[in-house]
């Protein structure tokens, strides 16, 4: 959020000031603007009738709807998330507070749309946060409110490009910890209360998901189109490498009931990997391992294009500096797990960078597979079948008190303590602060 938005367009002239400021090409990158990270569990002071309390680098700041409209007008993002009045205050929230939240959010959205109509510029694609907390009736009331006539002519929903379903406020209301799996039947019912009154033609974004199993469930049962990837990045923070693909490998299908389900992620702090020099994922290949003429089991695996699994070198470096390994790997092959394991035990930043790259690549390949299956002639039927196969092949081991996320977090803390009292003392405060912050969700 810019500190001085009024002068922003002067500093970043042109039709794409937001892209220019970040150094992104408008042809390659879609940038969005929202007041709050939808995965930030920080508890803040209550919002007011004419302001929202936002988490800032200095603590918190009150932002008025008119200021937010001004930010949007100055920055011109591709996507604008509407300003919601989501209470990030201690639960439970009264019915009066939920009603207030709905009324304020609809009013601020209406003002935002009127502001766009009054300006002679193309408006950004507006995504609306669907509110109502844990009350199905309140969620339906908000959705129906979006279909009410606007003050001027069009209906509100005609100026709305898509919808946002946030899991964090639901988690907050259920007092569920960040590592606990959410009750899927309850969440699905709440999402339907929001989505059923609304047109199915507009994209639906779900924020705050935590695992591939949860994502597949909400595609299949809630009709969600888009997901954020914060959980995959958070997994990398704790040394967790993702390892799954969709649809599952055909070799797993042929095994039938004889298959042994495997985990969707690996905790790289585990002693199992101390001398493991294989690639980060079993179910994806590094680019150097692709053998076009091979009829082996690996032939059907996707390539993980991340910088850890598929590093690329200049031709001179490839030929002269990388020795042929005894295991028959090409000169291009590295041992990313070995590198990462060492780096993890020293908390090297490069380990985080490699693992974030890997996890996001695995997730990208996963969504590519989802799109491929759904675009088949009998896509919906096939997708349901493949979701069932995925549940048979992969164990949802990420969440829960004994899940790999908790294991990785505990190992991370142990390494930090082992590195020295002075360092751990300083960093421990930071770590504990972050953890407390998560627990508050
Ligand atoms: Zn990778």
């Amino acid at each position: 959020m810019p500190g001085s938005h009024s002068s922003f367009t002067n500093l970043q002239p042109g039709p794409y000031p937001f892209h220019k400021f970040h150094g992104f090409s408008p042809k390659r990158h879609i940038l969005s603007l929202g007041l709050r990270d939808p995965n930030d569990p920080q508890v803040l002071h209550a919002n007011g009738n004419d302001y929202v309390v936002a988490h800032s680098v200095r603590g918190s700041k009150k932002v008025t709807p008119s200021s937010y409209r001004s930010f949007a007008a100055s920055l011109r993002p591709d996507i604008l998330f509407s300003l919601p009045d989501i209470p990030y205050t201690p639960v439970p929230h009264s019915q009066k507070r939920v009603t207030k939240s709905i009324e304020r959010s609809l009013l601020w959205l209406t003002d935002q749309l009127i502001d766009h109509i009054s300006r002679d510029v193309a408006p950004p694609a507006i995504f609306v946060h669907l509110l109502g907390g844990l009350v199905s009736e309140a969620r339906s009331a908000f959705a129906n409110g979006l279909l009410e006539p606007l003050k001027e002519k069009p209906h509100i929903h005609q100026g709305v490009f898509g919808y946002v379903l946030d899991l964090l406020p639901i988690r907050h209301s259920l007092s569920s910890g960040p590592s606990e799996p959410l009750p899927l039947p309850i969440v699905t019912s709440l999402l339907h209360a929001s989505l059923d009154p609304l047109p199915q033609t507009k994209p639906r974004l779900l924020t705050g998901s935590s695992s591939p199993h949860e994502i597949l469930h909400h595609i299949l049962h809630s009709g969600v189109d888009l997901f954020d990837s914060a959980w995959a990045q958070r997994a990398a923070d704790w040394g967790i490498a993702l390892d799954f693909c969709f649809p599952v490998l055909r070799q797993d299908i042929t095994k039938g009931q004889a298959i042994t389900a495997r985990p969707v992620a690996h905790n790289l702090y585990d002693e199992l990997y101390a001398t493991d020099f294989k690639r980060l994922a079993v179910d994806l290949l590094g680019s150097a391992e692709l053998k076009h003429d091979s009829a082996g089991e690996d032939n059907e695996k996707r390539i993980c294009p991340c910088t850890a699994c598929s590093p690329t070198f200049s031709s001179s470096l490839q030929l002269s500096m990388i020795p042929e390994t005894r295991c028959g790997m090409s000169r291009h092959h590295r041992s990313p797990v070995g590198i990462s394991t060492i780096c993890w035990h020293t908390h090297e930043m490069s380990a985080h960078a490699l693992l974030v790259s890997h996890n996001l690549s695995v997730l990208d390949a996963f969504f590519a597979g989802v799109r491929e299956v759904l675009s088949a002639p009998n896509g919906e039927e096939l997708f349901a079948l493949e979701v069932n196969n995925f549940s048979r092949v992969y164990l949802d081991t990420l969440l829960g008190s004994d899940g790999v996320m908790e294991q990785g977090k505990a190992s991370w803390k142990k390494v930090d303590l082992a590195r020295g009292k002075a360092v751990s003392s300083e960093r421990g405060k930071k770590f504990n602060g972050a953890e407390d912050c998560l627990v508050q969700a």
Side-chain angles (χ1 to χ4, degrees):
M1 188 59 63
S4 177
H5 53 89
S6 58
S7 59
F8 191 81
T9 46
N10 295 332
L11 295 171
Q12 306 293 338
Y16 300 101
F18 205 23
H19 288 78
K20 194 173 179 190
F21 176 71
H22 286 96
F24 290 130
S25 164
K27 292 180 181 173
R28 295 187 56 198
H29 298 94
I30 296 173
L31 297 190
S32 63
L33 177 69
L35 189 61
R36 181 181 174 118
D37 175 358
N39 289 286
D40 176 7
Q42 184 74 42
V43 172
L44 296 170
H45 293 297
N47 301 329
N49 272 333
D50 55 357
Y51 65 84
V52 169
V53 179
H55 191 187
S56 72
V57 288
R58 292 184 180 178
S60 62
K61 183 176 173 59
K62 292 178 182 175
V63 177
T64 63
S66 63
S67 296
Y68 189 63
R69 292 197 296 274
S70 167
F71 297 155
S74 301
L75 298 173
R76 297 186 209 171
D78 300 302
I79 292 174
L80 177 66
F81 290 104
S82 65
L83 187 65
D85 174 27
I86 301 176
Y88 286 99
T89 50
V91 290
H93 300 128
S94 66
Q95 184 181 346
K96 186 180 174 187
R97 179 66 186 90
V98 174
T99 304
K100 202 65 159 169
S101 164
I102 291 173
E103 289 173 354
R104 284 175 184 161
S105 301
L106 286 173
L107 175 66
W108 296 342
L109 172 67
T110 306
D111 290 343
Q112 181 82 58
L113 291 166
I114 291 172
D115 185 63
H116 286 159
I117 292 169
S118 65
R119 292 176 192 270
D120 193 22
V121 292
I126 294 183
F127 275 68
V128 178
H129 294 270
L130 300 180
L131 309 186
L134 294 182
V135 185
S136 294
E137 291 77 10
R139 297 187 78 95
S140 296
F142 182 84
N144 283 308
L146 290 173
L147 305 176
E148 293 288 320
L150 188 58
K151 289 177 191 169
E152 306 291 316
K153 294 164 258 178
H155 291 263
I156 290 182
H157 75 264
Q158 289 174 344
V160 172
F161 187 85
Y163 307 112
V164 188
L165 299 147
D166 298 296
L167 291 184
L168 185 66
I170 294 176
R171 188 177 282 282
H172 182 65
S173 298
L174 289 172
S175 301
S176 172
S179 297
E180 293 174 40
L182 285 171
L184 287 177
I186 293 175
V187 174
T188 306
S189 166
L190 292 173
L191 300 190
H192 272 290
S194 292
L195 292 173
D196 287 350
L198 298 170
Q200 296 183 4
T201 50
K202 301 193 177 187
R204 298 142 171 217
L205 166 65
L206 183 75
T207 67
S209 56
S210 306
S211 75
H213 292 79
E214 188 181 28
I215 288 173
L216 291 175
H217 173 89
H218 286 306
I219 295 173
L220 187 61
H221 298 290
S222 309
V224 175
D225 305 298
L226 300 163
F227 297 84
D228 67 349
S229 57
W231 67 275
Q233 191 157 348
R234 197 164 57 242
D237 289 345
W238 305 126
I240 308 299
L242 302 184
D243 185 5
F244 55 84
C245 61
F246 187 90
V248 299
L249 302 173
R250 296 304 94 177
Q251 57 189 272
D252 288 322
I253 302 293
T254 56
K255 288 175 187 168
Q257 296 299 323
I259 190 168
T260 304
R262 50 187 181 271
V264 291
H266 309 286
N267 172 17
L268 295 188
Y269 284 113
D270 195 309
E271 288 185 7
L272 273 175
Y273 305 112
T275 55
D276 187 338
F277 290 89
K278 298 195 187 91
R279 60 179 177 266
L280 286 168
V282 175
D283 285 355
L284 293 108
L285 295 177
S287 60
E289 295 171 279
L290 186 63
K291 297 171 185 173
H292 294 289
D293 56 349
S294 168
E297 286 193 335
D298 280 354
N299 232 17
E300 63 166 315
K301 292 181 180 176
R302 288 173 184 267
I303 297 293
C304 180
C306 81
T307 48
C309 298
S310 301
T312 55
F313 306 98
S314 68
S315 56
S316 58
L317 185 66
Q318 284 174 12
L319 295 175
S320 61
M321 299 184 70
I322 309 298
E324 196 79 50
T325 62
R326 263 194 270 172
C327 62
M329 293 294 184
S330 84
R331 288 190 174 94
H332 307 235
H333 185 75
R334 277 184 183 173
S335 51
V337 171
I339 292 169
S340 293
T341 305
I342 294 165
C343 291
W344 278 111
H345 283 277
T346 55
H347 281 183
E348 283 294 329
M349 285 181 69
S350 56
H352 289 271
L354 286 168
L355 207 48
V356 168
S357 167
H358 171 78
N359 284 357
L360 294 181
S361 298
V362 171
L363 197 57
D364 197 35
F366 169 82
F367 282 124
V370 169
R371 290 192 293 273
E372 277 176 26
V373 172
L374 285 172
S375 61
N378 56 340
E380 285 190 30
E381 187 184 337
L382 190 60
F383 183 73
L385 189 67
E386 289 297 344
V387 170
N388 187 43
N389 287 335
F390 190 90
S391 299
R392 281 200 308 116
V393 172
Y394 293 108
L395 298 167
D396 192 359
T397 52
L398 280 165
L399 300 181
S401 56
D402 56 349
V404 287
M405 288 286 270
E406 282 299 309
Q407 291 171 16
K409 204 187 295 185
S411 303
W412 192 97
K413 195 171 182 180
K414 274 184 198 169
V415 171
D416 221 32
L417 291 169
R419 293 180 67 208
K421 201 172 179 181
V423 175
S424 69
S425 171
E426 186 185 335
R427 286 199 175 184
K429 284 180 195 165
K430 195 176 172 185
F431 176 86
N432 287 329
E435 191 175 43
D436 291 346
C437 183
L438 290 169
V439 168
Q440 284 176 354

